[in-house]
Amino acid sequence: MGLSLWLLPMGGTLSKAIIVLWAVLGILPLLGQRGFAVDGILAFLLWLALLFWVLVVGHLGTAAWRLAGNLAILPLGLMLGRMQGRAVLAPIMVPVLVYVLVDSEFQLTSEGWRLNNPFLFLSLFVLAMVAWQNVRKPQPNAPLYPRSAQPVMNAVLPVLIAGIGMAGVVASQTRIAILAMGLVAITRIPATRAWVWLIGLPLAGGSLWLIADYLPRILFTHASGRLAYWQMFWQQWQDGSNSEQWFGFGVGAIEAQLLKMQSAVSFGALHNDHFHMLYETGLIGAGLWMAGWGIMVWLVRHSALAVGILLAVMVTMVTDNTLSYGHYLLASGVAAGVAWHRRMVENTPAVDDV
């Protein structure tokens, strides 16, 4: 994990290959020890069908293999977390924490100062929320820390790491990351308790006031150019032939067009993974894509936190290139898998304790 993070500046492909290999190696020894329900088998078949379709549409080109690898990370993380449980949290959290503390810096942009690495900070927050689940019920089978220190460390460290993640996401002023963080946090709030409303409402009002005063970018629109490019590619898709609409324009078609446009050089990508899948893989690919999301949410339905984590990833994909953020996808998949593991294996109550 640490090696994959430090390879990020050299390009994401090798870094993602390492975390995919790490996830696979963590899953393989346990495959023979776990049974698979019908919905789990269906999820696996849907995932294989989507990967096959991407590779067929992409004609086995480099872009197709890259997209297939990106699509594999979240399901692999989900399976890894489900099989390994809490034991897999520390090997992800510790390298990410060290990396963001060393590598993060404020950068001056056209919209003011912003902290980099927003999705790595979001990864920390998501993982800490899952580690925080067992504050009142320490698990003896795979503790994150030595048994003698477990009660204190389970209470203090996850909250501290969650605070670092939250501060980093807010300081980045990346609105979609802040929204995703809010979706995950909501699943941990016991809304039926009076003290939550008595304390939470004043805190929410104070937070909005501070944001409006010191982080105005979060509340106002900005000229990123997303809408113009979305409209351009949407018009192309509508004007396409029946075969292009059903089978897509081919994996890598968006990137190839943007590279030819001088105005899009700094834009880089479409910043909408859902439409990206529709445009490049067609209605068939988009159908498999949405069915895959549906079956994943169905699998983790017994854990509100796991559902919130997956929905948060889906939300970030509306305005960002989340499919290219391998470490965030892996962290989210693992976190959702661990929360799912807690519900299904450890026989804990259906409602999260806080």
Side-chain angles (χ1 to χ4, degrees):
M1 280 300 300
L3 176 62
S4 67
L5 283 164
W6 290 112
L7 285 173
L8 275 175
M10 301 172 59
T13 301
L14 180 58
S15 180
K16 290 172 194 171
I18 290 174
I19 59 176
V20 166
L21 178 62
W22 181 75
V24 170
L25 291 177
I27 292 168
L28 285 178
L30 300 176
L31 281 179
Q33 305 172 24
R34 299 287 189 272
F36 293 93
V38 174
D39 50 7
I41 295 173
L42 177 60
F44 180 69
L45 292 176
L46 273 173
W47 178 61
L48 286 182
L50 178 58
L51 294 185
F52 174 77
W53 183 253
V54 164
L55 292 173
V56 168
V57 170
H59 307 293
L60 301 182
T62 303
W65 283 108
R66 187 166 64 244
L67 178 57
N70 291 342
L71 290 170
I73 295 175
L74 182 66
L76 284 174
L78 185 65
M79 190 180 299
L80 180 63
R82 173 65 175 83
M83 289 184 167
Q84 293 279 8
R86 284 171 58 86
V88 78
L89 291 178
I92 299 179
M93 254 196 298
V94 173
V96 173
L97 178 61
V98 172
Y99 184 84
V100 296
L101 291 178
V102 173
D103 184 69
S104 298
E105 59 183 1
F106 282 93
Q107 300 173 339
L108 181 60
T109 69
S110 59
E111 295 161 336
W113 291 95
R114 301 174 59 192
L115 190 65
N116 64 341
N117 294 325
F119 283 88
L120 287 179
F121 279 108
L122 184 56
S123 300
L124 275 182
F125 179 81
V126 168
L127 291 166
M129 286 292 99
V130 175
W132 192 24
Q133 279 197 104
N134 296 322
V135 169
R136 289 190 176 181
K137 187 176 180 180
Q139 299 300 318
N141 57 336
L144 274 174
Y145 321 104
R147 180 72 65 82
S148 60
Q150 190 182 355
V152 175
M153 300 304 277
N154 272 359
V156 175
L157 277 187
V159 174
L160 177 61
I161 294 173
I164 293 172
M166 181 181 295
V169 172
V170 173
S172 74
Q173 301 195 59
T174 304
R175 287 171 293 186
I176 200 65
I178 293 173
L179 178 58
M181 184 172 66
L183 283 174
V184 176
I186 285 173
T187 66
R188 303 289 291 126
I189 297 174
T192 57
R193 299 181 185 179
W195 66 266
V196 172
W197 295 95
L198 291 173
I199 298 174
L201 287 177
L203 280 177
S207 300
L208 285 174
W209 177 75
L210 289 172
I211 287 172
D213 241 18
Y214 296 101
L215 301 171
R217 180 188 182 275
I218 295 175
L219 301 177
F220 297 108
T221 58
H222 58 96
S224 67
R226 284 176 172 84
L227 186 58
Y229 290 110
W230 292 348
Q231 290 174 335
M232 181 187 78
F233 283 104
W234 174 245
Q235 189 61 52
Q236 287 184 19
W237 189 84
Q238 285 186 311
D239 294 339
S241 64
N242 287 336
S243 63
E244 286 173 330
Q245 290 183 351
W246 280 99
F247 299 101
F249 288 78
V251 177
I254 291 175
E255 183 181 4
Q257 286 196 59
L258 291 176
L259 288 175
K260 295 176 183 177
M261 300 169 60
Q262 188 63 34
S263 60
V265 171
S266 61
F267 191 68
L270 192 57
H271 294 274
N272 188 324
D273 287 327
H274 301 298
F275 181 57
H276 182 125
M277 292 297 295
L278 173 65
Y279 184 91
E280 294 194 344
T281 66
L283 289 168
I284 296 175
L288 292 170
W289 165 257
M290 296 312 298
W293 277 106
I295 193 66
M296 280 197 297
V297 172
W298 169 261
L299 287 172
V300 305
R301 65 192 181 280
H302 296 294
S303 169
L305 179 55
V307 171
I309 291 169
L310 292 181
L311 292 180
V313 177
M314 286 187 69
V315 166
T316 64
M317 290 180 170
V318 174
T319 64
D320 221 310
N321 309 306
T322 309
L323 271 177
S324 64
Y325 304 151
H327 291 90
Y328 170 60
L329 291 175
L330 181 70
S332 295
V334 164
V338 172
W340 179 23
H341 177 275
R342 180 182 182 236
R343 287 286 173 257
M344 303 303 292
V345 176
E346 296 170 359
N347 297 316
T348 52
V351 178
D352 285 331
D353 293 326
V354 178

